[in-house]
Amino acid sequence: MNCVILNPTTTSNLRQRVITGTYFVLIILLGTLAGKWPFILLFGLILFACLWEYYTLVAPKDIWKDLWRKYSGIIWGLIPYTLGIFLAHGTQLPGKQLALLILLYMTALLAWFFIPELFVRRSERFSQAALGLTGLIYVALPFGCLPLITIANGEYSFYQVLAILVLVWANDTGAYLTGMRWGKRLLLPQISPKKTWEGWMGGMVLTMLTGRLIAHFLDSWSVVDGLVIAALVSVWGPLGDLVESMLKREFEVKDSGQLLPGHGGVLDRFDAFLFALPPVALYWLVIR
């Protein structure tokens, strides 16, 4: 009779992962279902955590140069989300005024991150400034899209964000199960040694089926909406996962943070969500 002996450490890590994952999902569900302002607060905190982890990763030293870049990056990173909340509540900005506001924001960012590097003594000054600016494009701007697709003229639709989250989770689950069972051909081994083409296809299939199912239950989603948004999540979600893997390899860390025991950091859990949000928002607000 054959028996399998589980490593106590592996069993403990798996238990910790399950417990953390359960609490994490419950917090997301409760914060989303509780109403508009709990939702805004919850995802504002998630945004803050993602920015904190990113800037801790790219500016890790406890010196004034890195601390200045870290805290200023977080402050600048909260602005797109705040602007998205105002616009979602019916704040009217003519096209020229909105364009001017965006141009002012981008000009201020370029000045804020690049000009100080001209006067500090350290190597790789341009790349350091670019890393500070990249955090806002990578983390902050996608979160700025979130209020626009979940709140319309002040009316909050919790099912919008839940639907996107469910599609992201379906993609992760399908990719993991399919890759574990049938995965053979590596997708990008130099970035992620475990992701396979079979896993990517499995994730897409489960996501498309989930999108079709969501469209069946949501009156505001047509079948086309469900399939298009599922397709966008299937493509952009895994890309977000790979980009974060590339970031962590660049800085030689396993996880973006330690806030979620067994899972790593908050940015580790929202990497796919971040990349999927802008194309989904583009479809929902412009193309649809």
Side-chain angles (χ1 to χ4, degrees):
M1 179 179 180
N2 294 327
C3 62
V4 178
I5 301 176
L6 295 177
N7 187 314
T9 303
T10 302
T11 304
S12 176
N13 291 340
L14 180 60
R15 185 184 300 113
Q16 181 65 72
R17 186 177 178 86
V18 171
I19 292 173
T20 303
T22 301
Y23 279 113
F24 175 75
V25 172
L26 284 176
I27 290 172
I28 295 295
L29 290 177
L30 289 174
T32 303
L33 295 173
K36 179 173 61 177
W37 293 110
F39 156 77
I40 289 174
L41 176 61
L42 172 64
F43 279 88
L45 291 173
I46 292 172
L47 167 60
F48 178 86
C50 289
L51 289 168
W52 180 274
E53 290 177 357
Y54 174 84
Y55 284 107
T56 299
L57 193 62
V58 304
K61 296 180 180 179
D62 191 19
I63 57 177
W64 74 266
K65 300 171 187 176
D66 278 1
L67 291 175
W68 171 83
R69 189 150 49 101
K70 177 178 179 178
Y71 293 118
S72 63
I74 292 172
I75 293 171
W76 280 104
L78 295 174
I79 293 176
Y81 185 67
T82 305
L83 177 61
I85 293 170
F86 279 108
L87 293 175
H89 279 81
T91 301
Q92 298 296 322
L93 285 178
K96 288 185 178 180
Q97 290 187 12
L98 183 59
L100 177 61
L101 189 62
I102 294 173
L103 286 173
L104 286 173
Y105 178 73
M106 296 305 299
T107 303
L109 286 182
L110 290 172
W112 189 271
F113 283 99
F114 280 96
I115 291 177
E117 294 293 338
L118 298 173
F119 304 99
V120 299
R121 294 182 178 179
R122 65 175 169 189
S123 60
E124 302 178 343
R125 287 178 288 185
F126 190 93
S127 62
Q128 293 298 312
L131 282 170
L133 189 60
T134 301
L136 304 180
I137 300 171
Y138 176 46
V139 180
L141 293 183
F143 268 94
C145 300
L146 187 58
L148 300 177
I149 57 178
T150 53
I151 303 170
N153 295 320
E155 296 295 325
Y156 170 58
S157 302
F158 69 87
Y159 57 81
Q160 289 284 83
V161 65
L162 276 184
I164 298 171
L165 285 170
V166 167
L167 289 172
V168 171
W169 293 338
N171 189 255
D172 286 344
T173 303
Y176 174 76
L177 295 177
T178 307
M180 187 172 59
R181 176 64 178 84
W182 292 290
K184 293 181 180 179
R185 294 174 296 176
L186 295 178
L187 187 59
L188 285 173
Q190 70 275 23
I191 300 297
S192 180
K194 295 182 179 180
K195 289 181 173 56
T196 62
W197 284 102
E198 292 82 3
W200 179 75
M201 289 298 297
M204 173 172 276
V205 169
L206 184 57
T207 308
M208 297 297 288
L209 292 174
T210 305
R212 177 63 183 87
L213 187 63
I214 290 173
H216 177 74
F217 288 102
L218 290 183
D219 293 336
S220 60
W221 279 35
S222 66
V223 174
V224 173
D225 291 336
L227 295 179
V228 170
I229 293 175
L232 291 172
V233 170
S234 298
V235 173
W236 288 89
L239 288 174
D241 196 349
L242 289 168
V243 166
E244 206 231 354
S245 296
M246 181 173 63
L247 174 67
K248 290 188 291 186
R249 278 186 174 273
E250 182 80 14
F251 290 92
E252 300 179 345
V253 296
K254 182 178 182 295
D255 299 312
S256 65
Q258 303 298 326
L259 187 61
L260 304 173
H263 288 264
V266 178
L267 189 57
D268 291 319
R269 296 301 93 206
F270 282 89
D271 50 7
F273 185 70
L274 284 175
F275 248 60
L277 270 178
V280 169
L282 179 64
Y283 169 75
W284 189 260
L285 298 172
V286 180
I287 300 174
R288 178 176 178 265

